[in-house]
Amino acid sequence: MNDQAREDYPGGDAEPRSRAEQHAHHGVTAAVAEVSPSLGGVVALGAHVRLIAPPVGDGSAMIQDARHAIDALVASGDGVAALLIDTAF
């Protein structure tokens, strides 16, 4: 345990069984990283991944992008197995 963790931990000198910081990140699998554009290019999107526009207004741009993405995935031979939507919208 580092000094800051020891200072913050209410259990005195005893080691905590687990500890996670407010903005802790504990990693992702390669499969998750390939579908995560939020990694900022650190990990390239998988060849089987297509991005679509977020829902704005009536959502028609998102629907159009989704249709194009589906067509591209089917044409590539990958097909469609999932649609991942970030609920932050």
Side-chain angles (χ1 to χ4, degrees):
M1 177 185 302
N2 67 34
D3 290 338
Q4 183 63 50
R6 189 170 284 106
E7 185 178 310
D8 292 344
Y9 180 61
D13 290 333
E15 291 282 327
R17 292 181 184 259
S18 66
R19 177 176 170 85
E21 296 296 329
Q22 182 178 1
H23 299 288
H25 176 73
H26 303 289
V28 296
T29 65
V32 171
E34 287 185 349
V35 299
S36 184
S38 69
L39 294 177
V42 174
V43 176
L45 291 176
H48 59 287
V49 175
R50 302 297 184 274
L51 300 179
I52 62 174
V56 176
D58 67 359
S60 61
M62 181 180 146
I63 292 168
Q64 183 178 5
D65 278 0
R67 287 183 177 140
H68 289 298
I70 290 167
D71 291 344
L73 287 166
V74 170
S76 73
D78 287 318
V80 178
L83 173 62
L84 304 176
I85 305 272
D86 187 333
T87 59
F89 301 112

